[in-house]
Amino acid sequence: MIRSTVRFLDERSGGAPFLRKALRYVFPDHWSFLLGEVALYAFVVLVGTGIYLTLFFDPSTATTHYHGEYQPLHGLEMTHAYRSVVDISFKVKAGLLIRQTHHWAADVFVVAIVLHLLRIFFTGAFRKPRDLTYYLGLTMLALALLEGYLGYSLADDLLSGMGLAIGYSVLMSVPFVGANLAELVWGGPFPGTPAFWSRMYVAHVFLFPLLIATLLGAHLLLVAARHHTQFRGPRKTERKVVGVPTFPGQTPRSLGLMSAVTAVLFLLGGLVQINPIWLWGPYHVASGTNGAQPDWYLGWLIGALRLVPGFDVTIGHYTLVPNPFWGGALFPLVVFGFLWAFPWLERRFTGDHAFHNLLDRPRDAPWRTAIGAALFTWVALIFLAGSADRVFVTFFVSYGWQILFFRIAVWVVPVVVLLVTRRVCLELQASERVERERELAEEEARRAAAPEPVR
Amino acid sequence: MRRLLAVAAVVLLAPGAAAAAPSGSGLYAENCLSCHGPGGSGTARGPRLRGVGAIAADFYLRTGYMPLLSPGDQPTRRRSPFTARQIDALVAYVASLGKGLPVPRPHPERGSIPVGLRLFTEHCAGCHQVVGEGGYVTGARVPPLEQASATQIAEAVRIGPYLMPRFPRTQISDRQLDSLVAYVQWAKHPDDRGGWAIGHIGPVPEGLVAWLLAGTALVAVCVVIGKRNEA
């Protein structure tokens, strides 16, 4: 029965040779190669839970008065968008579980991409012939950030409304074209027209997921076409990949990982509260709350907005570059721009245009490791500055001092990290050399001491 | 409860203090005069107290805001060095210095939580965060509200301690104040759904959970699954 079905499919698709190849595809044998897969499965969970949410979400800015399950909001005026999210949380079967899982999945999706990116960066996996794969990955990261921001904004609660207000002011701050861009996206001055909500909705549930899925497909095809990289080791060469085949080796691993990711996300969704929009209340223009923060993966932008000293670039009365531009727009552009340019920069400076299928260990490329560590430290410090207000309230560390500290630290610490990391890499290399020489010498001595074996 | 214990301790340890009725003016001269001047006339180190009324004295003393340790500081909540009876005497003394508002008697049970939420978002959340978890504003730490009693909430609204603005009746009526107090009281233990509430402040602790809990768990899974099967 199975045999005849398989034959039926094969005779009509001619897929057997391809399938055989796919099943014999070799996966390298190191845990860090699984981080990308974690991101992949988080994305699958996002799509799955997201579809469920679309069945109940109402992207309308028409207002209503709430008379649902949840007493503390009774009688309040709110948009249907907000009302429907409250209903998803309290009325829809498994709605809160799915909503929270969706949100946790978004948070964890970006965590996994960042970890994956770190692995790729520090092992030099982005080098030719995989730079294209790397660019696709970076683009997906950028899209994931925007997609998360859109999802966060759709709920129309107090925090998301404030998040949109910040986004609007950042877009407005782009020199020359900012005002027109914002007008174009919002369809009018903040908070925009109802069309803006449908635009966000279409972008969040259709355009961005489709874009990410397409890029993801291309990313995976490229990985498969170029094969995985691998660490140096016995029998591993630039031409030969050593590892486990898709089947029976990798398949159970992947399935296991998929189950684990799904389990972790649903556990979080069921057990840990995330974005309790019913506590934030509905958004009304000109109302706000202290310490409104976007989701964690945009915290670095909030940190940057806080750290940039308050100044505008003006010509006469005309404000050329309003302040939010530096932290909200230029900063992420610099970070992404640098990451994008890095494969090219590295080729330029090392003159290394060769194909690379074997990975470097971080110590093998001291400059790259040092630069990566410095960049990461820079972004991480700015990110931490984004929560300075909570640190102040919780631990009584003066806000002003913290900001002053960060303003200096973000320039000093990365340089220190750069120098120290490079030094450490070089020392590690040197100690390995010494070790190898000692081993060789010992071997030699042993051979000289021992009598020639009698054959 | 904590206050009761403190009072009990003081009563047990210092029976003399409990027996004789404490003198307001005496306590004032000892603890407040250096900053607020004789008869509450004010000095460079502390404002005039004539006319601030029982309401201000009650709030500043029962929150432990006063006596301030150093004049430049923002007053913060701590355990008051005075017994309840000493505070009563001090409040009466400060109230006697001039005309002022009495201690308010809010009735949160007459208020409505949804109305309170709306008022709180409109007037207070910009500083205190929408669930009353506090925050930073230029020049001050805005305290979380989980320790403020109903009376203290009403007092704070009317007197506006430190950088906080004052909200007179024309702005927030007594009925609205009842709702506001009801909301702040409710927000100390809001109707939580969805599991472990990680502080009601949103993304900062959420990011921590995403990295430390989920991130660690998933990397651990990768390490376990990715371990080479030496066979």
Side-chain angles (χ1 to χ4, degrees):
Chain A
M1 171 65 196
I2 294 177
R3 198 173 280 269
S4 61
T5 318
V6 169
R7 188 169 323 113
F8 175 87
L9 284 177
D10 181 37
E11 279 168 4
R12 279 150 191 86
S13 67
F18 174 76
L19 194 66
R20 198 167 308 129
K21 223 171 136 198
L23 288 180
R24 266 191 305 189
Y25 180 88
V26 172
F27 285 85
D29 225 357
H30 190 270
W31 65 268
S32 65
F33 287 84
L34 296 173
L35 293 171
E37 261 180 70
V38 173
L40 170 67
Y41 298 134
F43 182 67
V44 172
V45 172
L46 273 168
V47 173
T49 47
I51 289 174
Y52 188 72
L53 294 177
T54 56
L55 303 180
F56 306 100
F57 179 70
D58 176 1
S60 149
T61 50
T63 57
T64 173
H65 289 267
Y66 182 75
H67 287 290
E69 308 267 292
Y70 187 66
Q71 294 292 335
L73 293 175
H74 256 218
L76 292 188
E77 188 182 22
M78 56 183 67
T79 58
H80 278 284
Y82 179 76
R83 196 225 67 230
S84 67
V85 183
V86 174
D87 282 349
I88 286 174
S89 308
F90 295 135
K91 223 164 87 183
V92 172
K93 281 227 164 56
L96 186 55
L97 172 67
I98 299 293
R99 205 193 121 225
Q100 294 202 140
T101 304
H102 188 71
H103 203 140
W104 281 121
D107 277 20
V108 172
F109 182 45
V110 186
V111 170
I113 299 181
V114 170
L115 289 173
H116 179 51
L117 170 64
L118 291 177
R119 203 279 287 170
I120 298 294
F121 188 93
F122 285 114
T123 58
F126 56 80
R127 289 173 298 174
K128 204 160 90 181
R130 294 182 187 75
D131 34 0
L132 190 55
T133 322
Y134 170 78
Y135 297 141
L136 288 178
L138 275 179
T139 313
M140 279 191 281
L141 173 57
L143 288 175
L145 300 184
L146 282 172
E147 171 72 347
Y149 175 67
L150 286 173
Y152 187 73
S153 302
L154 276 174
D156 201 26
D157 57 281
L158 186 59
L159 285 193
S160 68
M162 294 182 68
L164 279 176
I166 295 176
Y168 182 79
S169 73
V170 168
L171 196 56
M172 284 283 283
S173 74
V174 176
F176 306 113
V177 292
N180 295 328
L181 270 182
E183 169 91 32
L184 198 72
V185 174
W186 264 263
F190 191 79
T193 56
F196 172 60
W197 230 261
S198 1
R199 284 173 200 172
M200 278 210 297
Y201 186 56
V202 169
H204 182 74
V205 303
F206 180 70
L207 281 178
F208 276 71
L210 197 67
L211 257 173
I212 294 179
T214 312
L215 296 189
L216 186 59
H219 190 76
L220 294 181
L221 277 178
L222 279 175
V223 169
R226 293 268 133 234
H227 279 278
H228 274 78
T229 50
Q230 59 185 340
F231 284 107
R232 279 162 214 281
R235 296 195 299 124
K236 298 178 182 172
T237 67
E238 289 282 6
R239 310 200 49 84
K240 189 155 143 237
V241 197
V242 178
V244 292
T246 310
F247 195 86
Q250 183 71 13
T251 312
R253 279 186 181 184
S254 280
L255 288 176
L257 190 57
M258 182 163 86
S259 317
V261 172
T262 315
V264 166
L265 294 178
F266 272 87
L267 274 176
L268 281 177
L271 297 178
V272 188
Q273 186 185 70
I274 186 165
N275 201 23
I277 50 121
W278 58 91
L279 294 181
W280 309 152
Y283 180 67
H284 297 288
V285 183
S287 65
T289 171
N290 197 315
Q293 293 267 5
D295 268 348
W296 80 261
Y297 43 80
L298 293 177
W300 53 312
L301 306 185
I302 295 298
L305 287 172
R306 289 209 176 135
L307 288 185
V308 176
F311 66 90
D312 296 314
V313 178
T314 51
I315 299 177
H317 288 297
Y318 181 68
T319 306
L320 188 65
V321 191
N323 194 264
F325 176 73
W326 309 106
L330 187 67
F331 170 57
L333 284 179
V334 166
V335 172
F336 270 100
F338 183 78
L339 285 173
W340 252 301
F342 196 79
W344 176 81
L345 282 174
E346 195 179 72
R347 279 201 301 272
R348 259 322 287 278
F349 281 94
T350 59
D352 178 358
H353 292 270
F355 277 67
H356 290 282
N357 293 323
L358 281 180
L359 294 176
D360 286 334
R361 289 169 313 166
R363 71 183 68 164
D364 299 330
W367 268 119
R368 179 202 302 142
T369 305
I371 291 173
L375 180 74
F376 183 75
T377 313
W378 190 53
V379 176
L381 279 171
I382 295 177
F383 180 81
L384 283 183
S387 52
D389 59 330
R390 288 325 310 179
V391 172
F392 175 44
V393 173
T394 314
F395 303 111
F396 288 87
V397 188
S398 152
Y399 183 82
W401 285 111
Q402 281 190 68
I403 294 298
L404 186 68
F405 165 79
F406 279 117
R407 279 189 181 154
I408 298 169
V410 295
W411 301 116
V412 176
V413 179
V415 176
V416 174
V417 167
L418 181 89
L419 298 176
V420 169
T421 310
R422 202 177 97 82
R423 195 69 252 157
V424 168
C425 289
L426 291 175
E427 294 293 332
L428 282 172
Q429 283 185 4
S431 78
E432 268 181 354
R433 248 193 319 277
V434 170
E435 181 95 342
R436 215 171 316 128
E437 270 160 24
R438 207 189 56 216
E439 269 168 21
L440 274 180
E442 279 174 0
E443 182 79 356
E444 200 110 309
R446 221 174 305 130
R447 222 175 293 149
E452 198 69 14
V454 188
R455 280 169 195 262
Chain B
M1 186 62 202
R2 212 194 273 145
R3 166 134 21 101
L4 266 181
L5 281 180
V7 170
V10 169
V11 169
L12 287 176
L13 294 176
S23 135
S25 60
L27 284 166
Y28 181 87
E30 248 170 71
N31 299 289
C32 324
L33 189 112
S34 59
C35 294
H36 290 289
S41 52
T43 72
R45 293 155 54 83
R48 249 170 86 92
L49 293 187
R50 293 188 184 152
V52 298
I55 182 172
D58 189 69
F59 176 82
Y60 273 84
L61 286 165
R62 287 195 211 280
T63 50
Y65 280 18
M66 290 292 144
L68 200 59
L69 298 179
S70 120
D73 284 356
Q74 171 180 359
T76 49
R77 181 177 276 273
R78 57 199 171 88
R79 180 182 291 177
S80 174
F82 304 117
T83 64
R85 293 186 57 201
Q86 286 174 322
I87 289 180
D88 290 342
L90 268 169
V91 170
Y93 175 74
V94 173
S96 73
L97 295 175
K99 275 205 297 207
L101 290 177
V103 175
R105 300 265 166 261
H107 296 279
E109 70 286 354
R110 293 183 200 159
S112 129
I113 291 171
V115 174
L117 167 63
R118 193 172 46 77
L119 288 164
F120 196 82
T121 319
E122 206 171 298
H123 297 297
C124 325
C127 294
H128 283 282
Q129 195 263 358
V130 57
V131 197
E133 299 292 349
Y136 163 79
V137 293
T138 315
R141 171 185 181 269
V142 184
L145 297 182
E146 63 241 356
Q147 294 188 51
S149 70
T151 311
Q152 287 165 1
I153 298 162
E155 287 170 342
V157 170
R158 293 295 184 227
I159 60 180
Y162 205 57
L163 292 193
M164 176 168 156
R166 225 158 52 80
F167 298 89
R169 282 213 183 91
T170 47
Q171 216 172 338
I172 294 179
S173 71
D174 278 344
R175 283 202 49 191
Q176 289 178 319
L177 187 56
D178 287 340
S179 295
L180 206 48
V181 173
Y183 173 73
V184 176
Q185 298 281 50
W186 173 84
K188 292 174 188 174
H189 306 284
D191 208 343
D192 264 326
R193 318 265 176 114
W196 180 31
I198 41 181
H200 301 134
I201 50 172
V204 173
E206 288 165 10
L208 286 176
V209 168
W211 274 95
L212 300 182
L213 254 161
T216 321
L218 290 173
V219 167
V221 170
C222 286
V223 172
V224 171
I225 288 187
K227 197 171 261 157
R228 188 161 188 168
N229 197 357
E230 307 285 357

